[in-house]
Each structure stands twice: as structure tokens, then as C-alpha cells.
Amino acid sequence: MEQDEDRNIGNRFRFTLIQYVRTGWWRISNKYGEDNYILCLVFHTHTDDGDKTEALIRPLLNDFWFFDRFASNRFLLCSELYHQLSIIEKRDIQYINEKYPNLGYETGIELRKLIERIDKTEDR
């Protein structure tokens, strides 16, 4: 039986990534109790691993994703649709769930596919 951390898709991505790069803090925007629901990931990597992180993830993304790297190796990974929402809309999870009821689950499905692509990458 999987542990709770392993079932949550955001944590699965985190555990996958830390196999290849050194990471720091994480923020996983998900719905408590929903293992396959995720809206956004924000994370930090070690100074020496920023380029490696970008090289690992960026080539594997499709048009669904928005991925950005900020100063100090802070990364943002979310759906393009979520990224286009206003700050006020992003803070209102009820609004998101009403207007885009499947967004968190679609993002979870796409994140699972990304994890599989990372795992299949030979040049890590």
C-alpha cells in the first residue's frame, strides 16, 4: 500500500524531481484529500541545479503547461489556463472549481504524464 505522500500527484512529482536535482522549499497547490488534483507547483532548487532542472523539465512539456524560472532558481509549473487567471481568481479556489471544475484533475493527469516522461529520460 502506498503512503499518502506517494499517492498525492504533487508529492510524486517532487519525489521524482529530487532524484535528479537538489531542491529546497516547495509549495503544492492542491485540494486536501484529492490525490490527483493539483493546480500549481512552485519550488526552489539548489543554485548549481537551476540549469539542470530547466533542461530536465522544459523539453518534456506540451502546450498544456506554463513553466517559468525566476531569480534564485525559483520555478513555477502550472497549466497555461491557471497561469492566465488573475491573482484574485487564483486565491478563490471555490471560483476555480465552479468555473473550471476539471482543471485540477486535468492538471493532475498531465502531471502524471510528465512524471512518466521524466522517468523515461535517459539523459538526466
Side-chain angles (χ1 to χ4, degrees):
M1 185 166 148
E2 292 179 297
Q3 294 181 354
D4 289 341
E5 303 89 35
D6 296 334
R7 285 196 320 249
N8 178 281
I9 192 65
N11 281 326
R12 284 197 54 216
F13 179 77
R14 181 172 63 115
F15 294 140
T16 298
L17 194 58
I18 63 175
Q19 293 177 43
Y20 310 112
V21 298
R22 294 168 288 179
T23 65
W25 57 263
W26 281 77
R27 179 177 157 262
I28 301 172
S29 175
N30 60 357
K31 192 192 282 186
Y32 180 75
E34 294 287 339
D35 297 330
N36 294 309
Y37 180 102
I38 189 154
L39 291 173
C40 182
L41 291 158
V42 182
F43 58 95
H44 176 267
T45 64
H46 187 278
T47 306
D48 296 336
D49 287 351
D51 292 340
K52 185 177 181 181
T53 303
E54 190 159 8
L56 175 68
I57 295 173
R58 190 169 300 280
L60 302 176
L61 299 176
N62 58 28
D63 291 341
F64 179 84
W65 292 108
F66 176 84
F67 181 64
D68 206 357
R69 179 181 180 182
F70 301 94
S72 301
N73 292 324
R74 184 174 60 117
F75 292 88
L76 167 67
L77 178 64
C78 62
S79 71
E80 185 65 41
L81 175 60
Y82 181 81
H83 176 69
Q84 292 176 11
L85 296 175
S86 73
I87 292 173
I88 294 170
E89 290 170 323
K90 288 177 185 172
R91 290 182 181 161
D92 187 351
I93 192 76
Q94 184 176 349
Y95 166 82
I96 293 171
N97 287 332
E98 288 173 3
K99 185 154 184 174
Y100 308 103
N102 295 320
L103 180 60
Y105 298 107
E106 290 170 4
T107 305
I109 290 167
E110 290 297 322
L111 188 58
R112 188 175 306 279
K113 292 176 187 176
L114 178 58
I115 291 167
E116 291 170 2
R117 288 193 295 270
I118 290 172
D119 285 341
K120 290 179 183 176
T121 302
E122 293 179 27
D123 237 5
R124 301 183 262 250

